[in-house]
Amino acid sequence: QLQLQESGPGLVKASETLSLTCSVSGDSIRSPSYYWGWIRQPPGQGLEWIGSIYYSGSTYYNASLKSRVSISVDTSKNQFSLELNSVTAADTAVYYCARHGRGSLGAFDYWGQGALVTVSS
Amino acid sequence: EIVMTQSPATLSVSPGERATLSCRASQSISSNLAWYQQKPGQAPRLLIYGASTRATGIPARFSGSGSGTEFTLTISSLQSEDFAVYYCEQYNDWPPLTFGGGTKVEIK
């Protein structure tokens, strides 16, 4: 059974960098059939896709965040990571990591439990 | 960017009744649409992909239909555990992957 688990600081100061890691167990992150993505959800609001990475290292970002975001993969640890710099209060959200397929199987089929990150002033 | 619009924002339904949720895409997305259910404090759960295929373990009372720009999620007979927020998502043309704003299904 595939499991994803987010980890990282729950409190980040404004203007600093938010860093989260997603640990994957139950399957290899090297699978050519999947992408690995980050989605966030501000309190009481909807879902926003941040970006995704393929095991090869190819990355895809939401243009609204592209100038501040970086996603990387560590296949040796079966992990992928998110960095979001110059954070503000608007970046306070629950951050989810999730897996999605390719082409017609592109839905997010497995999700982590989510990590609440609060940006403080 | 493909914009996904869900309606209504809130749907009040009695247990045992049928619920019909709508999702519209700003341009054709073929059948590359997913539906998710989210309960408070939990991650979203995949219900439907390919517009009409139930994900593993999803009860038959959940069904999806549509293609192109208009999609529907139907819950045939609402159970107590079905009261939640539902999101649609398109994965036809990305980046970006885009979600609708959600429909909250509440107890009438």
Side-chain angles (χ1 to χ4, degrees), chain A residues 13-16 68 84-92 118-120:
Chain A
K13 292 183 179 179
S15 80
E16 296 188 345
R68 299 194 292 130
L84 182 66
N85 59 40
S86 304
V87 297
T88 70
D91 295 310
T92 293
T118 302
V119 177
S120 67

Side-chain angles (χ1 to χ4, degrees), chain B residues 29-108:
Chain B
I29 58 169
S30 186
S31 296
N32 293 314
L33 180 108
W35 289 96
Y36 302 88
Q37 176 193 67
Q38 188 179 34
K39 297 179 181 179
Q42 296 185 16
R45 176 176 70 145
L46 177 64
L47 297 177
I48 301 284
Y49 63 94
S52 61
T53 303
R54 280 188 300 277
T56 303
I58 301 303
R61 64 181 181 271
F62 291 92
S63 63
S65 63
S67 66
T69 62
E70 301 284 342
F71 301 87
T72 300
L73 174 69
T74 301
I75 312 171
S76 60
S77 177
L78 271 160
Q79 306 298 302
S80 57
E81 61 267 31
D82 301 334
F83 292 96
V85 179
Y86 293 82
Y87 294 95
C88 62
E89 179 229 353
Q90 72 81 23
Y91 49 89
N92 185 69
D93 184 9
W94 69 286
L97 294 165
T98 49
F99 293 88
T103 291
K104 181 180 181 180
V105 177
E106 64 176 25
I107 300 175
K108 186 174 181 180

Side-chain angles (χ1 to χ4, degrees), chain A residues 4 21-23 28-29 32-33 35 43-45 63 74-76 78 89 99 105 113 115 118:
Chain A
L4 295 90
T21 294
C22 183
S23 298
S28 172
I29 206 167
S33 300
Y35 296 93
Q45 297 185 38
D74 187 337
T75 56
S76 67
N78 225 38
R99 183 183 83 169
L105 298 178
Q113 64 184 27
T118 302

